[in-house]
Amino acid sequence: MSGFTFRDGQLTCDGAAVAAIARETGTPVYIYSAALIREAHAALDAAFAGYRHTIHFAMKANSTLAILRLLRGLGTGADANSGGEIEAALRAGFEPRQIVFTGVGKTRDELDHAVALGVKAINIESDSEADRIDALARARGVRARVALRVNPDIDANTHAHISTGQRFNKFGVPIEFAAPLLRRLAGKPGLDVVGLHVHLGSQMLDVEPLGSAAWALAVLTREVRDAGLRLEHLDLGGGLGIGYDGAAHGDPVAYAAAVLPAMRPTGLHLILEPGRFLAAPAGILVGRVADTKAYPGSPRFVILDTGMTELIRPMLYEAYHRIVAVAPREGPTEQYEIVGPLCETSDTLGHNRELGPVEVDDLVAVLDAGAYGFVMASNYNRRRMPAEVLVDEGRWRVIRKRQSYGDLFRNEE
Ligand SMILES: Cc1ncc(COP(=O)(O)O)c(C=O)c1O
């Protein structure tokens, strides 16, 4: 049985008892299902099977080395967003030619490193960045492989904080300026313009905007082909959403149906950069109940030993995550505020959640936490980064130890 399912009244991950893992590792702990990552990858890959494509996992969603190695083993490439993520990709065994490097505000050092490595493509964010890459490549006597990130001014119909493809967002070059820029870049001796890139936003359940973005790139491709560019690929970014509420889940088949009609006439290789779709459902965050309180006139609180330091999505994006007891107790349900231990009122993982009886020391799991979870963890309140566990074929192992207090103070005077 793959994934997170209840067996004999206990939450299990790919058959392993979550409570048994948490007892050994302590809490908070992230637990990932290798089977769910493989299944999500297979579903996406199969949906696009009729067209030449490569999946570059968006490392910003989860860059734990064991997770990256698992994905590399499935044949994915990597989408890195910083020098640190490039380093993580290399340490996980990706070849430079398997890495695309995206990101607004790349530093000169990061760009130079990417040029020296010879990554598959550096996704250019502006005229000015293009000129910097050209100069860095010429100084090294090489041609840098680049793709232009276009801002198509398309509404992704998602939360404003994870929407990136509209005119007022900081990302990419507005589409009407893309063709003249591409023609200019075609003459640069330090650049090989090999692709076009777009990323509209994240957690998209409606695939229509993704289709519109693909058409925008296809039209631009036709427009600039005469400029002597040797385009190899179109990179459609990530964005496919998941069913955080346990209902509507991103549909890879609908996604492929939305974008492939635009891709086909171009004949170019398709790159996808999914993050959330591959990793989010495959991870849970497990915490322990540290306290409970219920006073007349106030909500009933369940206070966990985990909160915004381990999973900031509910506070940052008003994101909804299902929260379940790892071993639910028999009895009437009540409405609870599920909160963390931090000195912040916003440190709330779930409002008005219906749970059965809850006692101190019970384990609670926050579902769909495998993407944008650990990667956004912080040491706020001097808390230590949590442990991470990977369950594979019923066996589990710690893939990242909990930070020690030694780790916490290592770099300080
Ligand atoms: C350029 C780029 N590619 C891919 C992704 C991954 O998006 P998602 O996790 O929604 O698939 C992001 C996320 O913000 C991104 O900025």
Side-chain angles (χ1 to χ4, degrees):
M1 194 71 178
S2 65
F4 298 97
T5 51
F6 280 93
R7 200 190 277 175
D8 302 327
Q10 287 270 342
L11 185 63
T12 60
C13 173
D14 295 357
V18 166
I21 297 172
R23 208 176 306 124
E24 280 200 44
T25 62
T27 53
V29 58
Y30 274 94
I31 302 178
Y32 304 102
S33 152
L36 286 186
I37 293 176
R38 289 194 189 99
E39 280 171 25
H41 175 268
L44 189 62
D45 205 33
F48 284 88
Y51 194 81
R52 276 191 308 133
H53 69 278
T54 313
I55 294 173
H56 282 250
F57 177 60
M59 299 171 61
K60 60 178 72 66
N62 188 320
S63 58
T64 300
L65 295 177
I67 302 292
L68 297 180
R69 288 190 191 110
L70 194 163
L71 283 156
R72 184 174 61 82
L74 300 177
T76 72
D79 162 31
N81 203 61
S82 68
E85 285 190 357
I86 289 181
E87 184 62 25
L90 296 174
R91 287 179 188 227
F94 289 98
E95 298 293 332
R97 276 300 169 99
Q98 294 178 290
I99 301 171
V100 292
F101 183 29
T102 319
V104 74
K106 305 176 205 76
T107 65
R108 205 183 294 272
D109 282 352
E110 287 175 321
L111 289 172
D112 192 41
H113 186 48
V115 169
L117 283 170
V119 298
K120 179 169 182 163
I122 303 174
N123 291 328
I124 292 177
E125 285 277 343
S126 69
D127 275 69
S128 150
E129 189 182 68
D131 291 339
R132 260 189 313 281
I133 299 169
D134 176 51
L136 290 166
R138 280 188 287 114
R140 289 186 171 276
V142 297
R143 288 173 85 94
R145 292 168 57 84
V146 295
L148 181 66
R149 179 169 183 174
V150 169
N151 182 326
D153 198 22
I154 294 171
D155 186 354
N157 288 334
T158 187
H159 192 279
H161 292 184
I162 48 176
S163 184
T164 53
Q166 282 182 279
R167 189 69 194 222
F168 48 79
N169 298 131
K170 66 181 174 181
F171 302 95
V173 172
I175 193 150
E176 66 271 32
F177 299 105
L181 174 56
L182 285 162
R183 291 199 179 95
R184 185 168 81 78
L185 300 187
K188 294 263 180 195
L191 301 182
D192 258 341
V193 183
V194 294
L196 302 177
H197 176 236
V198 69
H199 172 75
L200 278 194
S202 201
Q203 184 48 19
M204 297 171 65
L205 294 171
D206 173 10
V207 295
E208 209 185 294
L210 293 161
S212 305
W215 277 111
L217 286 200
V219 169
L220 181 60
T221 302
R222 208 178 318 136
E223 205 181 326
V224 298
R225 271 215 155 132
D226 58 358
L229 297 169
R230 289 184 301 273
L231 293 185
E232 296 172 11
H233 70 251
L234 297 184
D235 180 341
L236 297 184
L240 190 60
I242 66 135
Y244 282 103
D245 58 359
H249 197 76
D251 177 358
V253 175
Y255 183 21
V259 307
L260 290 183
M263 284 301 303
R264 281 205 177 90
T266 71
L268 296 177
H269 193 93
L270 168 62
I271 291 181
L272 300 170
E273 299 173 351
R276 188 187 309 278
F277 184 80
L278 297 184
I284 60 171
L285 170 63
V286 180
R288 212 173 263 288
V289 177
D291 201 2
T292 60
K293 54 174 140 180
Y295 293 103
S298 300
R300 278 173 189 277
F301 288 102
V302 169
I303 303 156
L304 302 179
D305 66 357
T306 186
M308 65 189 283
T309 36
E310 289 73 43
L311 182 65
I312 203 173
R313 297 193 67 258
M315 305 83 196
L316 197 57
Y317 310 125
E318 300 163 321
Y320 176 91
H321 284 261
R322 288 172 289 164
I323 300 175
V324 299
V326 167
R329 294 175 184 277
E330 295 282 335
T333 61
E334 301 269 9
Q335 299 254 313
Y336 293 99
E337 290 291 288
I338 317 279
V339 301
L342 287 114
C343 294
E344 297 284 339
T345 294
S346 61
D347 184 29
T348 299
L349 288 165
H351 291 291
N352 288 333
R353 297 307 180 85
E354 194 94 6
L355 284 181
V358 179
E359 292 184 14
V360 169
D361 287 336
D362 283 359
L363 291 169
V364 168
V366 185
L367 306 188
D368 300 315
Y372 307 103
F374 186 97
V375 283
M376 289 193 187
S378 80
N379 291 124
Y380 183 45
N381 277 203
R382 282 287 189 189
R383 287 167 60 78
R384 292 171 296 158
M385 299 277 194
E388 295 182 287
V389 161
L390 181 65
V391 185
D392 199 356
E393 316 255 319
R395 282 189 301 278
W396 65 271
R397 66 182 202 275
V398 174
I399 54 173
R400 187 196 306 251
K401 286 193 231 167
R402 184 180 315 288
Q403 269 189 330
S404 66
Y405 282 124
D407 297 330
L408 199 55
F409 297 102
R410 178 151 298 130
N411 294 331
E412 289 189 45
E413 184 184 18

